[in-house]
Amino acid sequence: MSTNHAPRPGAEKLDDEQLDLAHRLATQLRVDSIRCSTQAGSGHPTSSLSAADLMSVLLLHHMRYEWSNPGLGSNDHLIFSKGHASPLLYSIYRSVGVLDEDELVNTYRKFGSRLQGHPMPILPWVDVATGSLGQGLPDAVGVALAGKYLDKLPYQTWVLCGDSEMAEGSMWEAIDKAAYYKLGNLTAIVDVNRLGQNGPTELQWEMEKYAQRVEAFGARAVVIDGHDLAAIDSALAEARSNPDQPTVVLARTIKAKGVPEIEDMEGWHGKALPKDMAQRAIAALGGVTDLSITTASPVKSAPQAQAAPSAPVKLPRWDIGEEVATRVAFGAAISALAVRPEVVVLDGEVGNSTHAGDFKDACPERFFEMFIAEQQLIASAIGLSVRGYIPFASSFAAFLVARPYDFIRMAGASEANIRLVGTHAGVEIGQDGPSQMALEDIAAMRAIHTSTVLYPGDAPSTTALVASMADTDGVVYLRATRGAYPVIYGPDERFPIGGCKVHGAGPEDKVALIGAGVTLHKCLAAADELAQAGIPARVIDLYSIKPLDRATLLETCRAVGNRLVVVEDHYPHGGIGGAVMEALADADVGELHVALLGVSGLPSSGQPSELLDAAGISARHIGAAARKIVKA
Amino acid sequence: MSTNHAPRPGAEKLDDEQLDLAHRLATQLRVDSIRCSTQAGSGHPTSSLSAADLMSVLLLHHMRYEWSNPGLGSNDHLIFSKGHASPLLYSIYRSVGVLDEDELVNTYRKFGSRLQGHPMPILPWVDVATGSLGQGLPDAVGVALAGKYLDKLPYQTWVLCGDSEMAEGSMWEAIDKAAYYKLGNLTAIVDVNRLGQNGPTELQWEMEKYAQRVEAFGARAVVIDGHDLAAIDSALAEARSNPDQPTVVLARTIKAKGVPEIEDMEGWHGKALPKDMAQRAIAALGGVTDLSITTASPVKSAPQAQAAPSAPVKLPRWDIGEEVATRVAFGAAISALAVRPEVVVLDGEVGNSTHAGDFKDACPERFFEMFIAEQQLIASAIGLSVRGYIPFASSFAAFLVARPYDFIRMAGASEANIRLVGTHAGVEIGQDGPSQMALEDIAAMRAIHTSTVLYPGDAPSTTALVASMADTDGVVYLRATRGAYPVIYGPDERFPIGGCKVHGAGPEDKVALIGAGVTLHKCLAAADELAQAGIPARVIDLYSIKPLDRATLLETCRAVGNRLVVVEDHYPHGGIGGAVMEALADADVGELHVALLGVSGLPSSGQPSELLDAAGISARHIGAAARKIVKA
């Protein structure tokens, strides 16, 4: 790199020299975006070219970032919500000197490279994986929430958005919550290049319509020509100047800007330029350059956010036999965890039912109400995890898992650390009916990369597992039950993740009944009834569904002649039964005799006991299944 | 019922007598809402009371519905997006004479009753299951799309929405698409009662903010006092009068209106009135009444939509050995199905990649672009299915399944008939990286009530299965692959849903390799390689994952000594391996020796062959797993 230009952050306008530099940087970003994608033979150069001017001015005059220290707490954040513009992002990294030319040009999109098709946090300057559109801005709301309310650091969160993704409802959940929480430290820059993958976007260049929407949702809209460097500069300065309102810069741009033969032309989304076209384009742009720039330093006076020392956590205790809903135990446990300064709780406007709201009383400053916007609920958790917090997001299990499932999927891809507690799972909820019953959440959550899936059956196990969740990486999900059931375990019992509990094991056991959550209680009842009928049975409390205690499972198989009844308040596909069977695929324990009991058909409203029985998962059905296996 | 009042539909204003009737009807709806919920001991009377005046005027003066014939094509539609206000809906049904008092008062929320906690289509007047907020309005957009563009019938689609659910991004996707498609036949009535479950809503009674948002999203906003009967009447008349713009009536209401002691009071969401309070309230409202009303008849001149006769479907044919991507085969097959007048195709702005866009050329009038709004994509399909169409919704599998998963879940609860085609599944997509890779879609889709899950490996099987999907009820999902692979089957081969294909079976087979989609090809390659090494192996093409051909699976187990290798381009939890193991739980075939190969860890960018190998699911890994099992 040949030149090093000192940045001039702040509100003063760019002079001619600076404008020239910005132009040269933008040109280099364009050239590099073309180079790496043409070399890879795939990627999105045209979507990078439209935003190059925006990013050039941002870098030179507004972004405050110490590139040698990406973990610095007072660094700004830059999130590419339009993750497909990764050539531009990686070209930025080259321009600030953290990526060398060879890696950029020769490894992009190649196997083994850090420079993947869409940005991944394997790169230390990338906060979150993007590429599923409509997620980067919601995630950034979480980062900005942390900045304003928890870190209390003056960093700005900049987000480059595409125009196509403005059709995702999640973007409006994000703008709404950003405005509600007065996140002046959040700036979205929308690259309105008029063309989506498949043709013109819905609003094309109707900038005023975008602006109306943004303003109606409570943010400040600034409409500019996204290739006018001075206008970009003013807009970004304005964006940072208002501490209490997020800004959405709506930049009218031209897709493929800088390569006239394909500018604003359909059919060039997601296509690398052919080599000859790339050569022509690069030559016309002035060829390869080695401009090296430095962004402004983060505000020096800003202290690093310091974790306050945690007081000892005093978990709630319960008496054996007491009837307590596991959601109540969750509320009590999470409130006890409030002494840990990293713990944050997010609610989807059902905190009085989930008992997440109990935390609000204990620690209102670390409780955030997301209202009924579950995608933003998860995205906020992801953003908070970027800043090192321990977020617990909670709602009814049906809504917590299914509504934002794509956000949970991407949290897995980000390898973000988020904790999810879904209450009111299964037919056990009773009268509200199937719309409120999570019956597919275990299958869905098991399939998430990095996931842990927990389903405790009583208050002490819930309490212990909620405490463990705080220190467990990845996407950690706990399923809780609506109704109150007896406490089974003493207050000092331990519940390691990946473990299970065996009840009533004896040398003559003919069958093992495996349940979790509400079905644990049904298994215990069935075992009592079987014992009275002369069929000794043990019960496994499979509170940790993923990871699953395979060693104990195999030992159990051997002890009971491989006769198992697995019972779950969940559809019988991919849930607890699936988890058990997958663990036994190559078990080498002999022939299996396993009955899988799950919810059959579409449940209705009714009393929990009626619904559990109608679903085929009550003690009566468990007993019958066990008898059939034992007789066979 | 004692009185029968003739309706007076249309634009003329309500006179004093009619206003009095509307008031009396509203009062009865309130009394009945209280009665049934108090009798049930649960439910949402306060959320019903706020909307009683709105519904009374709608019924008496605007809704056109022949209650004795709910299947009548020209009937209006009434969807309760705020499904928790079911007491109000069921009270309406009583007032129009289709539900008797005993069923209403004594069965609500009870086991075995049609009157579930949230409305279910088991009731012939209910189009879709609601209860997961933010879905009824999106579904209604699909109904209105059908009315305007396909049925061409003058019915209006009325939707009662809650104010809390306006925080869901999906509501804005819906309003946006309603405006984009000029759905003047859609009217949303938002019951802005200021209080959610947990306290005040985000916007409380800021009616102008709601109006700004609605107008910015392209719909007409009409703000009224939701208890002013004349104002309601004017607003609803205005709503129906504009053929080319949807209307959102924003009604400022009071939660629990009519029961002064709890009006506008927190802490009464989702709570039945205690018996004594209910008695007081009913007495103050004038007691139980038996008002019976009749809504206006649908426009007589409107013809029933007639299905045009279908021309014979001529499916595309392919030559064995030709390399064709299954997504290409999907595009060709769906285009061939365009001769069937019920078939409609919906795209999420990736139609050029999924090949759903091929249908647009064949049949532009039944192709709807939903842009990047996958929740609305699925909701539109659900709404179209209400009107008897055969909707195919398509996007990349990662976005098609994960983003709108809660809508798919509710499609299952509705027992709606929708067809989903997800392309670009698995690590096989290559360079774009994990954000674009569906790796949990099979697990998620298997767990959906009514679901069918298909994953063909070549063009003819894809073609045949796409044709079968059109005539398969429930939520039918087909997973397609990005890359081109050789055609395996002849053009006349049949692929029944619930079947599979066995390749290369011989009496000496030592192991069966089970794959689907891309892994079918890897299994075939591995079998060739094993054969050369003296290990005869058969291959099962498990193109139908749910339902699964258990008979052939068991027969295979017996033939190969229960030695199976199951391989999937999906995470190894709840996918094809899970499906196979669940089917073998009580198989009675002897000890199993099954290797489950799925994607391990987080994939990256790269070439498909590199990624399949790195994920542990290439022919090399399949061969190694088979050898290990055979040796053991």
Side-chain angles (χ1 to χ4, degrees):
Chain A
M1 299 269 172
S2 59
T3 331
N4 198 316
H5 295 269
R8 303 204 195 171
E12 62 178 286
K13 288 195 177 173
L14 294 174
D15 61 26
D16 285 350
E17 189 188 333
Q18 292 165 322
L19 285 170
D20 176 65
L21 176 61
H23 176 71
R24 285 189 289 135
L25 176 59
T27 303
Q28 175 171 304
L29 297 176
R30 289 193 164 97
V31 167
D32 283 354
S33 295
I34 294 168
R35 290 165 78 200
C36 67
S37 50
T38 290
Q39 180 74 10
S42 79
H44 296 75
T46 59
S47 303
S48 296
L49 296 174
S50 56
D53 296 312
L54 296 164
M55 291 300 99
S56 170
V57 176
L58 174 68
L59 282 175
L60 285 172
H61 208 225
H62 301 278
M63 192 162 165
R64 295 175 178 160
Y65 199 97
E66 199 170 303
W67 291 95
S68 60
N69 187 5
L72 188 69
S74 52
N75 277 341
D76 281 359
H77 291 259
L78 173 60
I79 294 174
F80 265 39
S81 194
K82 53 176 289 185
H84 54 286
S86 57
L88 177 60
L89 184 64
Y90 304 153
S91 298
I92 288 171
Y93 295 158
R94 179 186 168 233
S95 77
V96 297
V98 293
L99 209 64
D100 69 28
E101 188 176 8
D102 177 60
E103 184 173 1
L104 174 64
V105 176
N106 294 317
T107 80
Y108 178 51
R109 284 181 164 249
K110 293 209 169 64
F111 185 68
S113 170
R114 302 185 295 175
L115 306 186
Q116 301 196 24
H118 295 77
M120 298 290 292
I122 190 173
L123 291 164
W125 322 283
V126 172
D127 288 328
V128 289
T130 53
S132 180
L133 289 170
Q135 300 207 18
L137 183 62
D139 292 349
V141 168
V143 174
L145 268 178
K148 184 174 180 105
Y149 294 99
L150 304 172
D151 292 338
K152 296 179 183 169
L153 287 171
Y155 59 76
Q156 195 75 6
T157 303
W158 307 97
V159 190
L160 180 65
C161 306
D163 48 353
S164 273
E165 69 179 326
M166 300 307 283
E168 288 282 10
S170 58
M171 296 297 271
W172 301 98
E173 293 182 16
I175 294 173
D176 178 54
K177 289 301 168 298
Y180 181 83
Y181 280 107
K182 302 183 191 303
L183 301 179
N185 58 348
L186 178 73
T187 305
I189 304 168
V190 186
D191 178 18
V192 186
N193 65 21
R194 197 190 70 82
L195 293 173
Q197 167 173 332
N198 212 3
T201 60
E202 200 173 337
L203 295 184
Q204 302 203 43
W205 276 326
E206 297 190 72
M207 306 305 293
E208 277 314 307
K209 280 201 182 168
Y210 280 117
Q212 279 169 26
R213 292 181 183 194
V214 165
E215 298 272 355
F217 274 71
R220 183 165 45 167
V222 182
V223 176
I224 58 168
D225 173 350
H227 304 302
D228 177 337
L229 300 173
I232 298 168
D233 187 53
S234 300
L236 298 183
E238 192 182 339
R240 195 165 199 150
S241 69
N242 189 341
D244 289 328
Q245 192 184 23
T247 298
V248 178
V249 177
L250 296 160
R252 186 186 195 280
T253 62
I254 292 168
K255 197 153 177 169
K257 174 75 176 177
V259 184
E261 59 183 307
I262 55 169
E263 278 182 2
D264 192 33
M265 197 175 287
E266 290 188 39
W268 281 96
H269 180 95
K271 286 187 185 152
L273 275 55
K275 285 198 172 157
D276 56 338
M277 185 190 281
Q279 280 175 353
R280 278 198 307 278
I282 291 167
L285 286 163
V288 172
T289 53
D290 282 318
L291 203 58
S292 167
I293 61 119
T294 308
T295 54
S297 291
V299 177
K300 295 286 180 213
S301 63
Q304 272 288 79
Q306 298 274 333
S310 175
V313 175
K314 286 182 67 176
L315 290 173
R317 296 169 75 89
W318 320 89
D319 294 330
I320 288 179
E322 196 180 347
E323 296 207 343
V324 185
T326 54
R327 62 186 167 121
V328 171
F330 158 60
I334 194 71
S335 300
L337 287 175
V339 295
R340 294 184 60 172
E342 311 90 347
V343 171
V344 181
V345 172
L346 301 156
D347 171 36
E349 221 241 280
V350 286
N352 53 344
S353 289
T354 61
H355 286 270
D358 299 358
F359 185 89
K360 191 177 181 180
D361 303 327
C363 186
E365 69 277 14
R366 280 185 271 120
F367 177 89
F368 295 98
E369 181 57 73
M370 291 292 125
F371 298 94
I372 304 183
E374 293 85 0
Q375 295 184 108
Q376 187 54 54
L377 177 70
I378 300 301
S380 296
I382 294 169
L384 287 161
S385 81
V386 165
R387 296 295 312 149
Y389 292 94
I390 299 174
F392 281 79
S394 183
S395 184
F396 285 18
F399 312 136
L400 181 75
V401 173
R403 198 55 161 266
Y405 187 51
D406 198 34
F407 285 76
I408 297 172
R409 180 180 75 85
M410 289 298 292
S414 285
E415 302 193 335
N417 301 318
I418 62 174
R419 288 81 180 169
L420 311 180
V421 177
T423 66
H424 296 71
V427 304
E428 194 274 345
I429 65 161
Q431 292 184 313
D432 274 335
S435 67
Q436 322 287 301
M437 293 170 178
L439 292 167
E440 51 294 292
D441 57 317
I442 295 173
M445 290 304 305
R446 283 209 306 127
I448 294 293
H449 176 61
T450 78
S451 72
T452 294
V453 180
L454 308 170
Y455 187 18
D458 82 341
S461 51
T462 302
T463 300
L465 288 167
V466 168
S468 296
M469 287 172 82
D471 298 310
T472 304
D473 280 349
V475 177
V476 189
Y477 174 58
L478 183 140
R479 191 188 214 225
T481 304
R482 178 173 182 267
Y485 293 87
V487 167
I488 295 169
Y489 301 106
D492 299 315
E493 185 93 23
R494 290 168 54 86
F495 297 87
I497 288 174
C500 68
K501 295 288 173 189
V502 183
H503 293 264
E508 304 300 320
D509 289 344
K510 293 283 183 292
V511 59
L513 315 178
I514 302 179
V518 63
T519 61
L520 168 63
H521 297 273
K522 303 304 163 192
C523 287
L524 290 168
D528 284 349
E529 187 266 337
L530 287 166
Q532 285 170 20
I535 304 172
R538 66 183 63 182
V539 171
I540 295 184
D541 173 2
L542 201 68
Y543 64 82
S544 180
I545 299 168
K546 181 187 175 191
L548 183 148
D549 185 350
R550 187 165 181 267
T552 301
L553 180 66
L554 297 192
E555 191 183 302
T556 301
C557 282
R558 291 190 189 98
V560 301
N562 297 319
R563 287 181 292 269
L564 310 176
V565 180
V566 189
V567 200
E568 58 193 313
D569 191 357
H570 184 277
Y571 280 129
H573 308 281
I576 302 176
V580 167
M581 288 307 300
E582 289 163 19
L584 296 176
D586 56 349
D588 201 20
V589 288
E591 185 171 24
L592 301 173
H593 310 281
V594 184
L596 301 180
L597 307 187
V599 173
S600 55
L602 184 64
S604 64
S605 291
Q607 293 301 317
S609 58
E610 293 170 325
L611 296 178
L612 290 162
D613 196 57
I617 56 173
S618 61
R620 178 172 75 88
H621 288 96
I622 300 167
R627 278 187 174 82
K628 193 174 161 195
I629 288 178
V630 170
K631 270 188 202 153
Chain B
M1 298 272 172
S2 59
T3 330
N4 196 316
H5 296 270
R8 302 202 196 173
E12 62 178 286
K13 288 195 175 174
L14 293 175
D15 61 24
D16 285 352
E17 188 189 334
Q18 291 165 323
L19 285 170
D20 175 65
L21 176 59
H23 177 72
R24 285 189 290 135
L25 175 59
T27 303
Q28 175 171 304
L29 296 175
R30 289 192 163 97
V31 168
D32 283 356
S33 296
I34 294 168
R35 288 164 79 199
C36 68
S37 51
T38 290
Q39 180 73 10
S42 79
H44 296 75
T46 59
S47 303
S48 297
L49 296 175
S50 55
D53 296 312
L54 296 164
M55 291 299 102
S56 170
V57 175
L58 174 68
L59 282 175
L60 285 172
H61 207 225
H62 300 278
M63 191 163 164
R64 294 174 179 161
Y65 200 98
E66 198 170 303
W67 292 95
S68 60
N69 188 4
L72 188 69
S74 52
N75 277 341
D76 280 359
H77 290 259
L78 174 60
I79 294 174
F80 266 39
S81 194
K82 52 177 289 186
H84 54 286
S86 57
L88 176 60
L89 185 65
Y90 304 153
S91 298
I92 287 172
Y93 294 158
R94 180 187 166 230
S95 77
V96 296
V98 293
L99 209 65
D100 70 25
E101 186 175 9
D102 178 60
E103 185 173 2
L104 173 65
V105 176
N106 293 319
T107 80
Y108 178 52
R109 285 180 164 251
K110 293 210 168 65
F111 184 70
S113 170
R114 301 185 295 175
L115 307 186
Q116 301 195 25
H118 295 77
M120 297 291 289
I122 191 174
L123 291 164
W125 320 284
V126 172
D127 288 328
V128 289
T130 53
S132 179
L133 289 170
Q135 299 207 18
L137 182 61
D139 291 348
V141 168
V143 175
L145 268 178
K148 185 175 179 102
Y149 294 99
L150 304 172
D151 294 338
K152 297 178 181 168
L153 287 172
Y155 59 75
Q156 195 75 6
T157 302
W158 307 97
V159 190
L160 180 66
C161 306
D163 50 353
S164 274
E165 68 179 326
M166 301 308 283
E168 288 281 11
S170 58
M171 296 299 270
W172 301 97
E173 293 183 16
I175 294 171
D176 179 53
K177 288 301 168 298
Y180 181 83
Y181 280 108
K182 303 183 188 304
L183 301 179
N185 58 350
L186 178 73
T187 306
I189 305 167
V190 187
D191 178 19
V192 186
N193 66 22
R194 195 187 70 84
L195 294 173
Q197 166 173 333
N198 212 3
T201 61
E202 201 173 336
L203 295 185
Q204 301 202 41
W205 276 326
E206 296 189 74
M207 307 305 292
E208 278 314 307
K209 282 201 182 168
Y210 279 117
Q212 278 168 28
R213 292 181 183 194
V214 166
E215 299 272 354
F217 273 70
R220 184 164 45 167
V222 182
V223 176
I224 58 170
D225 173 348
H227 303 303
D228 177 337
L229 301 174
I232 298 167
D233 187 52
S234 300
L236 298 183
E238 192 182 338
R240 196 166 200 148
S241 69
N242 189 341
D244 291 328
Q245 192 184 24
T247 299
V248 178
V249 177
L250 296 160
R252 185 188 197 279
T253 62
I254 292 167
K255 198 155 178 169
K257 174 75 176 179
V259 183
E261 61 184 304
I262 55 170
E263 278 182 4
D264 191 34
M265 197 175 286
E266 289 187 40
W268 281 95
H269 180 94
K271 286 187 185 152
L273 275 57
K275 285 201 171 154
D276 56 338
M277 184 192 281
Q279 279 175 353
R280 277 197 309 278
I282 292 168
L285 286 163
V288 173
T289 54
D290 283 317
L291 202 56
S292 167
I293 61 117
T294 308
T295 54
S297 291
V299 177
K300 294 289 179 211
S301 63
Q304 271 289 81
Q306 297 275 331
S310 174
V313 175
K314 286 182 68 176
L315 291 173
R317 296 169 75 89
W318 319 88
D319 294 330
I320 288 179
E322 194 180 349
E323 296 207 342
V324 185
T326 55
R327 62 186 168 122
V328 171
F330 158 61
I334 195 73
S335 300
L337 287 175
V339 297
R340 294 184 60 174
E342 312 89 347
V343 170
V344 182
V345 172
L346 301 157
D347 171 35
E349 221 240 280
V350 286
N352 54 344
S353 290
T354 61
H355 286 268
D358 298 358
F359 185 89
K360 191 178 181 180
D361 303 326
C363 187
E365 68 277 14
R366 280 185 271 120
F367 178 88
F368 295 98
E369 182 56 74
M370 290 292 127
F371 298 93
I372 305 183
E374 293 84 0
Q375 294 184 107
Q376 186 56 53
L377 178 69
I378 300 300
S380 296
I382 295 169
L384 287 161
S385 80
V386 166
R387 298 294 312 149
Y389 292 94
I390 300 175
F392 282 80
S394 183
S395 184
F396 285 18
F399 312 136
L400 181 74
V401 172
R403 197 55 161 269
Y405 188 52
D406 198 33
F407 286 76
I408 297 172
R409 180 180 76 86
M410 289 298 290
S414 285
E415 301 192 336
N417 301 317
I418 63 174
R419 287 82 181 169
L420 310 180
V421 176
T423 66
H424 296 72
V427 303
E428 192 276 342
I429 66 160
Q431 291 183 314
D432 274 336
S435 67
Q436 323 286 302
M437 294 171 177
L439 292 168
E440 52 294 291
D441 56 317
I442 296 174
M445 289 305 305
R446 284 210 305 125
I448 293 294
H449 176 60
T450 79
S451 72
T452 294
V453 180
L454 307 170
Y455 187 20
D458 82 342
S461 51
T462 302
T463 300
L465 289 167
V466 169
S468 296
M469 287 173 82
D471 298 309
T472 304
D473 281 348
V475 177
V476 189
Y477 173 58
L478 184 140
R479 190 187 215 228
T481 304
R482 178 172 181 269
Y485 292 87
V487 167
I488 296 169
Y489 301 106
D492 299 314
E493 185 92 24
R494 290 169 55 83
F495 297 87
I497 288 174
C500 68
K501 296 287 173 189
V502 183
H503 292 265
E508 305 300 320
D509 289 345
K510 293 283 183 291
V511 59
L513 315 178
I514 302 179
V518 63
T519 61
L520 168 63
H521 296 275
K522 303 304 163 193
C523 287
L524 290 168
D528 284 349
E529 187 265 336
L530 288 166
Q532 285 170 20
I535 304 173
R538 66 183 63 182
V539 171
I540 295 184
D541 173 1
L542 201 68
Y543 64 81
S544 181
I545 299 169
K546 181 188 175 191
L548 183 147
D549 184 351
R550 187 167 181 266
T552 302
L553 180 66
L554 297 193
E555 193 182 301
T556 302
C557 283
R558 292 190 189 99
V560 300
N562 297 320
R563 288 181 292 269
L564 310 176
V565 180
V566 189
V567 200
E568 57 193 313
D569 190 358
H570 184 277
Y571 281 129
H573 307 280
I576 302 177
V580 167
M581 287 308 300
E582 289 164 19
L584 295 176
D586 56 349
D588 200 19
V589 288
E591 186 171 20
L592 300 173
H593 310 282
V594 184
L596 301 179
L597 306 188
V599 173
S600 56
L602 183 64
S604 64
S605 292
Q607 292 302 317
S609 58
E610 293 170 326
L611 296 178
L612 289 162
D613 197 57
I617 56 174
S618 61
R620 179 173 73 88
H621 288 97
I622 298 168
R627 280 186 172 80
K628 193 173 162 196
I629 288 178
V630 170
K631 270 187 203 155

